[in-house]
Coordinates of all heavy atoms in Angstrom, one line a residue:
V170 N 283.4 -16.1 203.1 CA 283.3 -16.7 201.8 C 283.3 -18.2 201.9 O 283.9 -18.8 202.9 CB 284.4 -16.3 200.8 CG1 284.4 -14.8 200.7 CG2 285.8 -16.7 201.3
R171 N 282.6 -18.9 201.0 CA 282.7 -20.4 201.0 C 282.5 -20.9 199.6 O 282.0 -20.1 198.7 CB 281.5 -20.9 201.9 CG 280.1 -20.6 201.4 CD 279.1 -21.4 202.2 NE 279.1 -21.0 203.6 CZ 278.2 -21.5 204.4 NH1 277.2 -22.3 204.0 NH2 278.3 -21.1 205.7
K172 N 282.9 -22.1 199.4 CA 282.8 -22.7 198.0 C 281.5 -23.5 197.9 O 281.2 -24.3 198.8 CB 284.0 -23.5 197.7 CG 284.2 -23.9 196.2 CD 285.5 -24.6 196.0 CE 285.7 -24.8 194.5 NZ 287.0 -25.4 194.2
R173 N 280.8 -23.3 196.8 CA 279.7 -24.1 196.5 C 279.8 -24.7 195.1 O 279.7 -23.9 194.1 CB 278.4 -23.3 196.6 CG 278.1 -22.8 198.1 CD 276.7 -22.1 198.2 NE 275.6 -23.1 198.0 CZ 274.3 -22.8 198.0 NH1 274.0 -21.5 198.1 NH2 273.4 -23.7 197.8
G174 N 280.1 -26.0 195.0 CA 280.3 -26.5 193.7 C 281.6 -26.0 193.1 O 282.7 -26.1 193.8
K175 N 281.6 -25.5 192.0 CA 282.8 -24.9 191.3 C 282.9 -23.4 191.6 O 283.9 -22.8 191.1 CB 282.8 -25.2 189.9 CG 282.8 -26.7 189.5 CD 282.9 -27.0 188.0 CE 282.9 -28.5 187.7 NZ 283.0 -28.7 186.2
K176 N 282.0 -22.8 192.2 CA 282.0 -21.4 192.4 C 282.1 -21.0 193.9 O 281.9 -21.8 194.7 CB 280.7 -20.7 191.8 CG 280.5 -20.9 190.3 CD 281.5 -20.0 189.6 CE 281.2 -20.1 188.1 NZ 282.1 -19.1 187.3
W177 N 282.5 -19.7 194.1 CA 282.6 -19.2 195.4 C 281.5 -18.2 195.7 O 281.0 -17.5 194.8 CB 284.0 -18.5 195.6 CG 285.1 -19.4 195.7 CD1 285.8 -20.0 194.6 CD2 285.7 -19.9 196.9 NE1 286.8 -20.8 195.1 CE2 286.8 -20.8 196.5 CE3 285.5 -19.7 198.2 CZ2 287.6 -21.5 197.4 CZ3 286.3 -20.4 199.1 CH2 287.4 -21.2 198.7
V178 N 281.0 -18.2 196.9 CA 279.9 -17.3 197.3 C 280.4 -16.4 198.5 O 281.2 -16.8 199.3 CB 278.6 -18.0 197.6 CG1 278.1 -18.8 196.5 CG2 278.8 -19.0 198.8
V179 N 279.7 -15.3 198.6 CA 280.0 -14.4 199.7 C 278.7 -14.3 200.6 O 277.6 -14.1 200.1 CB 280.3 -12.9 199.2 CG1 280.4 -12.0 200.4 CG2 281.6 -12.9 198.4
V180 N 278.9 -14.5 201.9 CA 277.7 -14.5 202.8 C 278.0 -13.3 203.8 O 279.0 -13.3 204.4 CB 277.6 -15.8 203.6 CG1 276.4 -15.7 204.5 CG2 277.5 -17.0 202.7
T181 N 277.0 -12.4 203.8 CA 277.2 -11.2 204.7 C 276.0 -11.1 205.6 O 274.9 -11.4 205.3 CB 277.3 -9.9 203.9 OG1 276.2 -9.8 203.0 CG2 278.6 -9.9 203.0
D182 N 276.3 -10.6 206.8 CA 275.3 -10.3 207.8 C 275.0 -8.8 207.7 O 275.9 -7.9 208.0 CB 275.8 -10.6 209.2 CG 274.7 -10.4 210.3 OD1 273.7 -9.7 210.0 OD2 274.8 -11.0 211.3
I183 N 273.8 -8.4 207.2 CA 273.5 -7.0 206.9 C 272.7 -6.3 208.0 O 272.2 -5.2 207.8 CB 272.8 -6.8 205.5 CG1 271.4 -7.5 205.5 CG2 273.7 -7.4 204.4 CD1 270.6 -7.2 204.3
G184 N 272.6 -6.9 209.1 CA 271.8 -6.3 210.2 C 270.5 -7.0 210.4 O 270.3 -8.2 210.1
R185 N 269.5 -6.3 211.0 CA 268.2 -6.9 211.3 C 267.1 -6.1 210.6 O 267.2 -4.9 210.3 CB 268.0 -6.8 212.8 CG 269.0 -7.6 213.6 CD 268.7 -7.6 215.1 NE 269.7 -8.3 215.8 CZ 269.8 -9.7 216.0 NH1 268.8 -10.4 215.4 NH2 270.7 -10.2 216.6
D186 N 266.0 -6.9 210.2 CA 264.9 -6.3 209.5 C 264.0 -5.5 210.5 O 264.3 -5.4 211.7 CB 264.2 -7.3 208.7 CG 263.5 -8.4 209.6 OD1 263.4 -8.2 210.8 OD2 263.1 -9.4 209.1
E187 N 262.9 -5.0 210.0 CA 262.0 -4.2 210.8 C 261.4 -5.0 212.0 O 261.0 -4.4 212.9 CB 260.8 -3.7 209.9 CG 260.0 -4.7 209.3 CD 260.5 -5.2 207.9 OE1 261.7 -5.0 207.6 OE2 259.7 -5.7 207.1
S188 N 261.4 -6.3 211.9 CA 260.9 -7.1 213.0 C 262.0 -7.5 214.0 O 261.7 -8.1 215.0 CB 260.2 -8.4 212.5 OG 261.1 -9.2 211.9
G189 N 263.2 -7.1 213.7 CA 264.4 -7.5 214.6 C 265.1 -8.8 214.2 O 266.0 -9.2 214.9
K190 N 264.6 -9.4 213.2 CA 265.2 -10.7 212.8 C 266.5 -10.5 212.0 O 266.6 -9.6 211.2 CB 264.2 -11.4 211.9 CG 264.7 -12.8 211.4 CD 263.6 -13.5 210.6 CE 264.1 -14.9 210.1 NZ 263.1 -15.6 209.3
R191 N 267.5 -11.3 212.3 CA 268.8 -11.2 211.7 C 268.7 -11.5 210.2 O 268.0 -12.4 209.8 CB 269.8 -12.1 212.3 CG 271.2 -12.1 211.8 CD 272.1 -13.2 212.4 NE 273.4 -13.2 211.8 CZ 274.3 -14.2 212.0 NH1 273.9 -15.2 212.7 NH2 275.4 -14.1 211.4
Q192 N 269.4 -10.7 209.4 CA 269.3 -10.8 207.9 C 270.7 -11.2 207.3 O 271.7 -10.6 207.7 CB 268.9 -9.5 207.2 CG 267.5 -9.0 207.6 CD 267.2 -7.8 206.8 OE1 266.5 -7.8 205.8 NE2 267.6 -6.7 207.4
Q193 N 270.7 -12.2 206.5 CA 272.0 -12.6 205.8 C 271.7 -12.5 204.3 O 270.6 -12.8 203.8 CB 272.4 -14.0 206.2 CG 273.1 -14.1 207.5 CD 273.8 -15.5 207.7 OE1 273.3 -16.5 207.1 NE2 274.8 -15.5 208.4
R194 N 272.7 -12.1 203.5 CA 272.6 -12.1 202.1 C 273.7 -12.9 201.5 O 274.9 -12.8 201.9 CB 272.6 -10.6 201.6 CG 271.4 -9.8 202.0 CD 270.2 -10.3 201.2 NE 269.0 -9.5 201.6 CZ 268.2 -9.8 202.5 NH1 268.4 -10.9 203.3 NH2 267.1 -9.0 202.8

Side-chain angles (χ1 to χ4, degrees):
V170 300
R171 66 171 60 174
K172 194 171 186 180
R173 295 186 67 182
K175 296 182 179 180
K176 296 289 185 177
W177 287 83
V178 297
V179 174
V180 184
T181 55
D182 187 338
I183 64 169
R185 299 184 182 276
D186 63 14
E187 60 271 23
S188 66
K190 184 179 179 180
R191 182 186 176 194
Q192 299 182 94
Q193 281 191 332
R194 291 293 181 267

